[in-house]
Amino acid sequence: MKKTFDLDSILSTSRYNLHSHTQFCDGRGTMDQFARAAADAGILHYGFTPHSPVPFDTPCNMKADDVPAYLAEVERIRKKYDTVQFYAGMEIDYLGPDWGPAHPYFAGLDLDYSIGSVHFLPAKSDPSRFIDVDGRPERFVQYMHEYFDDDIEYVVEEFYRRSSAMVRAGGFDILGHLDKIGANASYYLPGIERRRRYLDALNALVDDVIASGVCVEINTKSLAQTGRLFPRESVVARLYRAHVPLLVNSDTHYPDLINAGRPYALSLL
């Protein structure tokens, strides 16, 4: 890790955002457009976090061949803007013990920090095939039919089990959108987040997070559209009471949404 990245120092102000996506993955703007938006918004600390390379083709993840160009672009932007401290981060997908934030590949990259997240789960009928469960609700329903035999309990429990395994393996600085699966799961089966099996799986992850001491983001990306944060507010309260380090990220994919939802989440803290 570069010595310029000091999370405690960054969190001494609210003028930060450490989760964003640009042209190197599924963002809707260039890194320079996001940098200009950050400077215009008065942000002091801004992190780029492209979706990491994964060992299969996806439309949303960065290609390994593009990593050098990405890191070079961060350096160029650092020299161009003098009012914002920019960081080279990455949102690293955890796929299992053979691929995730603790993999030597990521340790060898010249990153300032990383976010650990789960977006893909193994298909129930073919565990060697990984399926994105993080996209649009309508697509999630289609994938439930095609790849998961409509077994929503499997999807939910596997998401939280793998998230816990990632937390225990370590290798990252910030845990991304802790309970994101709840949004699509609730679209598929309304009320599932009140069911005992769902709550047991979620609480097992929260227990592991508390034991690890890892920093957890409050993700505001979907607040305007769905009215919810990730994690949901009851989980934020539990983490806060347990003295888990918390920060607020917008997970922005558009330059004009850099601060979307952040004032509300910051007010909770």
Side-chain angles (χ1 to χ4, degrees), residues 50-56 61-67 90-93 95 99 105-106 109:
H51 290 290
S52 72
V54 291
F56 49 85
N61 288 69
M62 164 182 267
K63 306 298 184 185
D65 289 346
D66 289 336
V67 172
M90 189 172 285
E91 185 176 16
I92 301 175
D93 274 294
L95 303 178
W99 192 263
Y105 167 76
F106 297 108
L109 298 180

Side-chain angles (χ1 to χ4, degrees), residues 162-214:
R162 287 175 176 265
S163 296
S164 283
M166 179 179 69
V167 168
R168 292 192 295 269
F172 62 97
D173 302 281
I174 301 166
L175 177 60
H177 44 63
L178 180 154
D179 64 349
K180 185 74 180 296
I181 194 64
N184 277 341
S186 291
Y187 181 86
Y188 179 83
L189 181 61
I192 189 174
E193 290 180 275
R194 297 190 297 271
R195 292 190 173 190
R196 175 49 50 195
R197 285 183 66 176
Y198 181 94
L199 292 170
D200 286 347
L202 169 60
N203 287 329
L205 171 58
V206 174
D207 288 342
D208 285 333
V209 168
I210 292 171
S212 75
V214 70

Side-chain angles (χ1 to χ4, degrees), residues 75-91:
E75 290 300 323
R76 186 191 70 81
I77 285 172
R78 281 175 172 154
K79 296 173 182 176
K80 182 176 180 179
Y81 298 90
D82 58 7
T83 62
V84 186
Q85 177 66 59
F86 290 100
Y87 303 100
M90 189 172 285
E91 185 176 16

